[in-house]
Amino acid sequence: MAKGKINVAVENIFPLIKRFLYSDHEIFLRELISNATDATLKLKHIASIGEYKGNVEDARIEVKIDKEGKKLHIIDQGVGMSQEEVKKYINDIAFSGAEEFLEKFKDEKNDAGIIGHFGLGFYSAFMVASQVEIHSKSYREEEEGAHWICDGSPEYTLKKSKKSDRGTEIILHIDEDSLEFLEEGRISELLNKYNKFMPIPIKFGTKEIADPAHEPKTIKDKDGKETKEPQKMITVDRIINNPDPAWTKQPSDLKDEDYSSFYRELYPTQFEEPLFHIHLNVDYPFNLTGILYFPKLTTNMDVQKDKIQLYQNQVFVTDNVEGIVPDFLQMLRGVIDSPDIPLNVSRSYLQADGAVKKISSYITKKVADKLSSLFKNDREGFEKKWNDIKIVIEYGMLSEPKFFEKAQSFALYPTTNDVYYTFDELKEKTKAAQTDKEGNLIILYANDKEEQHGFIEEAEAKGYQVLLLDSPIVSHLIQKLETEGEKVKFARVDADSIDKLIQKEDSQISKLTEEEQTKLKTYIEEVVPKEKYSVQLEAMDSKSNPFIITQPEFLRRMKEMQQTGGGGMMGMGAFPEMYNLVVNTNSELMQKILKAKGKRTEYISQALDLARLSQNLLQGKEMTDFIKRSYELMKS
Ligand code: ADP
Ligand code: MG
């Protein structure tokens, strides 16, 4: 037996480790199971090159709780270690890892983000254990077993172990303040979080199943009544992980059902089917595999739940993929597995890292390619999905120039009549009718078919196309499309009268004289609340509505952009709620208003209220007054 002292620079490293990692004690289990997995994979490799002849196929890892003994066991059947190896790998190498960790992060103890991602390795066991024992037996049969004991001080003992079967057993004597790790529920939770897809089967406890070798017989009693013999149950090991998750397989070996069942495996509480998936698979210039799913995006979706999960070699690392997956794709679900993502660094460093940047643009490209092929191969199906995916695509177009370019081929612009155009198709379709006298192509849109019904009708009567653009960031996107495209302008149908929105030749002749127009304007302004409506006389078609309430495109769009953030609009103060009241001077009603004796105010109020009513702007007392006035007017 040997007693020794671990070569340490910092004597009291263990209390330090505990303090530094306070919030993330639970990672010890992930680390120990990772080591057990590594040891098993190493042995499988050695066997594959013929240097080991024993059975490696059934190798598994076991996690066992000994509640009375207050011990947690992690047992593997991997390469194992001789006494020499324990000295070398545990005392020197594992320790240097821990020391390096402390050196690196001693000033960053508050950045829990980093700490959670940094594998402290074997010594993380001391975060929860007052004493750790290793029993190990090398796969090389001539080697004796090793038994190592360390109580968290730099002193350890190393002696012969009676362990006779290959592999390593780590025994944690759980600390009084970490007794939670003796609870089956807690360990189950951790295994499920970190080890659900690890490549070696993990046994945790047992379960009862119906004995497959026993078929219950049907027995007839003396009255001829049939009953079934009770089912025989047997106890089997409970394997808690799926060692071959879908993302590790070749796309050609997977069917659509396999992708949906994997989705359910990842997110057991999601009942809605994903819309489609993207299988990621690249090994140069970096290594990355994974499957991304496009979920149906709903307005009340909890984006904090069921996020993309990041793995390294099938070990769960985090579900915070900020910096690795571009922002606009963080609403997707699925997994990414890459050993090439540096995790022991801060987020800001991560974003500047060359390899990570490449990964992020690879993902963007793959998503764009998938969307483009879905569009090409099944345009009808793609159009059906459009409303559920447009937010992601529009957000991507705004935030990633490369994606914007690629999206030109599949981004869709639906009309209020459910016809879906690409931007090029839309320009082609509207060019002839909707180019104004300055040569600008005016693209009309609505954001609410019901509210803007009258305006849409007016536009369609002129043979114009009206898009239905209703996502919350659409004003930003329009702004971008206008700057990118030459001589293309967007206007919401209710931004002005239709003839003003797409001005063709010089405006219609007014039936009213200058003098009559001045008078009319004064009459109207006396009745209409000034702080809300600015009155504008316009000579329009005599059959168009007499009063129209519009909201100037520019002001409204700026306001929307301010509300949805970005665009340099912050700090500009709130935009006031202002409308234009467009008065059609050619409407017959204007003659009536001009010539009215006693009822002028009523006519103006009535016309204003009707204009408001058509846009859902009439409520409360104004509505009550309107109804009363309407009855009064019917009497006269
Ligand atoms: P890392 O896993 O990053 O090498 P660790 O501190 O986790 O660092 O482990 C240190 C070393 O101890 C490992 O590289 C390995 O050689 C050895 N080791 C740890 N656990 C086991 C195990 N279960 N079986 C065999 N060797 C192990
Ligand atoms: Mg390790």
Side-chain angles (χ1 to χ4, degrees), residues 287-302:
N287 224 298
L288 181 127
T289 49
I291 301 173
L292 294 179
Y293 293 91
F294 255 78
K296 218 174 163 146
L297 297 174
T298 51
T299 39
N300 52 3
M301 198 167 104
D302 183 359

Side-chain angles (χ1 to χ4, degrees), residues 529 532-533 549 605 607-618 622:
K532 245 188 155 166
Y533 299 99
I549 294 169
S605 302
L608 174 67
D609 284 352
L610 285 168
R612 282 164 153 172
L613 196 59
S614 78
Q615 271 178 274
N616 230 346
L617 291 169
L618 199 57
E622 290 173 342

Side-chain angles (χ1 to χ4, degrees), residues 35-36 38-39 42 76 79-81 89-90 93-94 120-123 168:
N35 285 350
D38 291 346
K42 263 183 222 161
D76 69 61
V79 278
M81 288 177 279
Y89 294 130
I90 298 299
I93 294 187
L120 185 58
F122 174 77
Y123 272 91
T168 302

